[in-house]
Amino acid sequence: MTKTIMSVDDSASVRLMINFTLKQLGYEIIEAANGKEALKKLAGRRIDMLITDVNMPELDGISLVRKVREDPLYKLIPIIILTTESQTEKKHEGKAAGATGWMVKPFTPDQLTAVVKKVLP
Amino acid sequence: MSEELQDRMRQAFTDETFEILTALEASLLQLEEDPGDTEAVSSIFRAFHTIKGSGAMSGFDEVSGFTHDIENVYDLVRSGRVLPCRTLIDLTLSAADLIREMVLNPHPGEYGYQEQTASILAGFKSLSPSDEGRKRPRVVLPPSGLNPFMFSAEPGGEVTYRIRFKPVKEIFLSGTNPVLLMRELSGLGDCRVVAHMDDIPELDELDPEACYVYWDIILTTSRGTDAIRDVFIFIDGQCELNIEVVDDGESDLDTSDYKRLGEILIEKSELTRENLEKVLSEKKTLPLGELLIDEGLVDRDSVQAALAEQEQVRLARESRLRAEGISSLRVSAGKLDRLVNLVGELVTVQARLSQTSLRSQDPGLISIAEEIERLTAELRDNTMNIRMVPIGTTFSRFRRLVRDLSQELGKAVEITTEGAETELDKTVIEKLNDPLVHLIRNCVDHGIELPEVRAAAGKKRKGRVHLAALQSGPNVIIRISDDGAGLDRGVIRRKAVEKGLMAPDESIPERELFSMILLPGFTTSENVTNVSGRGVGMDVVKKSVEALRGTIGIESTPGVGTTITLSLPLTLAIIEGLLVEVGGEMFVVPLSAVKECVELGRDSARRTEATRVINIRSQLVPYIRLREQFSMDGDRPEREQIVIVRQDGQKVGFVVDKVIGEFQTVIKTLGRVFRDVTGVSGATILGDGSVALILDVPQLLEVVGKRGGD
């Protein structure tokens, strides 16, 4: 069955890159521009992985991870947060909120692929 | 990144930046109205943060760098260390305008937007408190293809690690799948995983979302510890991770020498020495692992893990041993010779088996004999191959020789080689050294001219001696060529006439003329030098090469140079032969010399009796009767056979009674008494145990030549 990955980022170009790269790997992608939109689009829908930016309007990435983990449906899915080098503390915050791992921006399609392969069976 | 993606990202980034900048302006105006609006500050910060991140990913590095510095300023505003003011807002607005321009026209000139960005950043800096000029490093996109989680390791040997990975019980709740980690580890190298499952509780107590399992992983990799740690990068702090080296990839290679089971368990604190000794002292016959499990001292998984470690290290060491064995393994030459002799015996016995099985007409036996034949041939080839060594070392020895000689003679000579990797039987190479020295001396002394002479002839002052080796079928060809003056036909002729080898007006083919220099006492050198010219040498060369069952060919062009070609058999011990019968006796003709076999009927035998020349496809070929050559009795059969051999371009026929067929010939040297018999180079033992003599084709050709001369 095709696996679905939700990608949340307020930057359209970052979403484009994630979408483009992961679709090539055969994943189905749901996009959202911020945490609030992500929660709305999720609404009990099954996803296999979540990739989210940290710094976003409306609802930031860390809060999104926390909220998503509360739902039993998403309790065990891999979640990757996107941080920048200047926000190392966000890695720990994200981990504490329930993220599986992180990826530092900027990243290349190859790096994205490696990380997805690392956490998604 | 694919070009398509890159183009699309540039476009997307441009669109999104314009949107962000519009929103940014609104926030700036709001901040201007209400300097205490923290939400406005946050969104301004976020705007720059987003442009920075996306810019770096979309190939707008300059934009990314610029926004990074502005983001730093707004970080200070956010924390209250820089207060919002008119100047700040003005500067930010002009920054926004500049970003717009930078995105629209990313490559304005050689220096980009350096000047403009610098002036805006200087303005921001004047607002920041002096000690807050802290600079966070700008983000730079790492080179594509570099996986941040797989650092390339130092190229090095393979090291075997013992990894104990014990995640916290809640590990599943962070979305971590340990199976994927194991898979990633096994991508680093040879990997054995043993799961410890003794902590798993009874079903009614089991929390399905908890991880009760921990793992022992034995990994052999050349990637280093960092690569292993990187696999666990996301769960740093959520697991117990122990990485120990159990085999450093360098220590002694004795495969049996790795730690014993008990030692491993003690090392891993899974067993105390006391308990081990207690169990060992009971002297039960069961394996130690079973005993420890039975006694309840160690659980089954731990024993499994220790056994896996033993096995993995053993395999790692074995493969290392194999790898090193390929490059070198010293065995005494004596042992090798004995092996070759044994293989020779085996080939003989196998031939007997084949004959016997064919006579028996027992299909079962025949198929076994065929199998043995195949295996023997393979064993023979492999054994012979062990004795093969590259000729390169011999070649390199000649560099010094050429250097010394050319200095002594005041000539400039370089030596070049080709095919140094060509392999030849060790014995052949050893026996080839002296002939090669002679030939190279000749090249430098007779062949290569003095530098002035060369220059006058329009040649390079520096002469060249070229050594080349190549394999050609069952032979190795070695060519020694020089770009010197070439052989002087006039001088050779004169000397030959002087020595009574030919009449003054006789015309003989060039090949024959050249081959005269191989005769004993024949020198064309007017002056005897230290180097050559005594007329000993070329005949010695010829003898040595023929003793190796090889041949010599000479080609020379005046003014261009001389090439001497040695053709040598790959090995001395076994040859392919053609078995023939004469007067009830068997003889072997080396197959490499045989061209064809034709019939000699009684009529044509009578017709050619006087001339002993037969016409084969309108070519006249002289023949000799082996029966006469070896003074054998008995009547000639009605139809005889002629085996046509060819050596040095010369064809000769040997008349025999019967041609039996091809035969794997293991060469046995003749005893002292028979060593000087003309026309026989050795003997071999046939399948039925009888002896067949191996014909010495060059010697027999000489016999024919002499007859022709008489």
Side-chain angles (χ1 to χ4, degrees), chain A residues 5-8 18 22 49-53 80 82 112 116:
Chain A
I5 299 176
M6 175 176 256
S7 121
V8 190
I18 294 176
L22 297 184
M49 179 175 177
L50 174 70
I51 300 175
T52 176
D53 189 22
I80 293 293
L82 305 178
L112 174 65
V116 171

Side-chain angles (χ1 to χ4, degrees), chain A residues 9-14 16-18 20-21 24 53 55-58 69 72 75-80 83-87 95 98-111 114-121, chain B residues 1-2 4-5 8-9 12-13 16 45-46 49-50 52-58 68 71 78 136 139-149 172-177 180-181 183-184 209 230-235 238:
Chain A
D9 199 303
D10 55 336
S11 155
S13 56
V14 174
L16 172 79
M17 195 258 241
I18 294 176
F20 189 93
T21 308
Q24 270 184 343
D53 189 22
N55 221 305
M56 293 182 297
E58 306 283 344
R69 278 282 187 237
K75 204 169 178 179
L76 304 175
I77 64 162
I79 299 178
I80 293 293
T83 67
T84 51
E85 212 41 82
S86 50
Q87 296 176 300
K95 279 295 287 181
T100 312
W102 59 86
M103 201 164 21
V104 175
K105 277 191 196 175
F107 51 85
T108 64
D110 286 347
Q111 290 164 339
V115 170
V116 171
K117 291 237 165 95
K118 192 180 173 72
V119 297
L120 188 60
Chain B
M1 205 182 302
S2 74
E4 184 198 349
L5 177 57
R8 284 176 57 183
M9 280 189 72
F13 176 71
E16 118 184 48
F45 175 85
R46 210 164 41 234
H49 184 80
T50 303
K52 173 182 85 169
S54 321
M57 287 178 58
S58 316
H68 171 81
E71 183 196 347
R78 232 169 26 159
R136 293 181 300 183
V139 267
V140 180
L141 190 70
S144 177
L146 188 85
N147 181 345
F149 302 101
F172 295 142
L173 299 179
S174 65
T176 302
N177 185 342
L180 293 178
L181 300 175
R183 198 182 293 164
E184 214 181 320
E209 284 173 2
D230 283 341
V231 170
F232 300 96
I233 186 168
F234 288 158
I235 44 172
Q238 285 176 288

Side-chain angles (χ1 to χ4, degrees), chain B residues 516-557:
Chain B
M516 287 191 178
I517 65 169
L518 299 173
L519 295 173
F522 196 100
T523 179
T524 59
S525 196
E526 305 291 334
N527 308 306
V528 173
T529 66
N530 264 342
V531 179
S532 54
R534 287 179 207 279
V536 290
M538 286 309 271
D539 66 312
V540 175
V541 168
K542 184 169 184 252
K543 272 218 182 82
S544 318
V545 171
E546 278 173 0
L548 293 169
R549 294 204 324 276
T551 58
I552 303 187
I554 305 169
E555 286 163 74
S556 183
T557 314

Side-chain angles (χ1 to χ4, degrees), chain B residues 597-618:
Chain B
C597 296
V598 294
E599 214 175 68
L600 181 67
R602 183 145 283 193
D603 283 350
S604 75
R606 206 177 295 123
R607 233 182 11 253
T608 59
E609 189 59 43
T611 54
R612 297 277 168 99
V613 173
I614 189 171
N615 182 337
I616 297 174
R617 294 184 293 275
S618 41

Side-chain angles (χ1 to χ4, degrees), chain B residues 249-387:
Chain B
E250 278 164 9
S251 54
D252 59 324
L253 288 166
D254 189 350
T255 51
S256 60
D257 202 22
Y258 188 60
K259 292 166 197 143
R260 306 179 67 103
L261 182 68
E263 283 175 66
I264 299 175
L265 291 169
I266 290 172
E267 205 178 288
K268 291 170 80 177
S269 320
E270 278 164 349
L271 179 68
T272 63
R273 193 162 289 279
E274 288 160 28
N275 281 340
L276 173 68
E277 273 157 18
K278 201 180 94 204
V279 172
L280 284 176
S281 67
E282 285 166 11
K283 289 201 180 9
K284 292 202 182 144
T285 47
L286 274 173
L288 176 66
E290 294 296 323
L291 289 176
L292 292 171
I293 296 166
D294 285 352
E295 295 278 323
L297 293 170
V298 183
D299 65 78
R300 191 167 287 276
D301 296 329
S302 300
V303 172
Q304 284 301 329
L307 289 174
E309 184 175 319
Q310 267 185 334
E311 179 72 3
Q312 179 93 355
V313 172
R314 191 180 62 78
L315 286 179
R317 288 186 180 175
E318 250 178 34
S319 80
R320 209 152 70 226
L321 197 65
R322 225 176 295 127
E324 284 172 23
I326 287 165
S327 54
S328 71
L329 179 65
R330 291 179 83 94
V331 176
S332 80
K335 279 187 186 172
L336 266 188
D337 289 343
R338 179 150 173 69
L339 179 66
V340 170
N341 282 337
L342 282 173
V343 170
E345 302 287 338
L346 184 65
V347 169
T348 308
V349 175
Q350 173 265 313
R352 278 173 71 180
L353 176 64
S354 293
Q355 268 188 14
T356 314
S357 71
L358 281 176
R359 261 202 308 274
S360 78
Q361 295 194 327
D362 175 348
L365 184 60
I366 290 172
S367 95
I368 293 174
E370 280 170 355
E371 187 75 350
I372 299 265
E373 188 175 342
R374 190 182 59 75
L375 287 172
T376 311
E378 214 167 291
L379 178 65
R380 179 202 66 210
D381 291 348
N382 275 300
T383 312
M384 293 306 157
N385 206 20
I386 298 176
R387 295 174 54 91

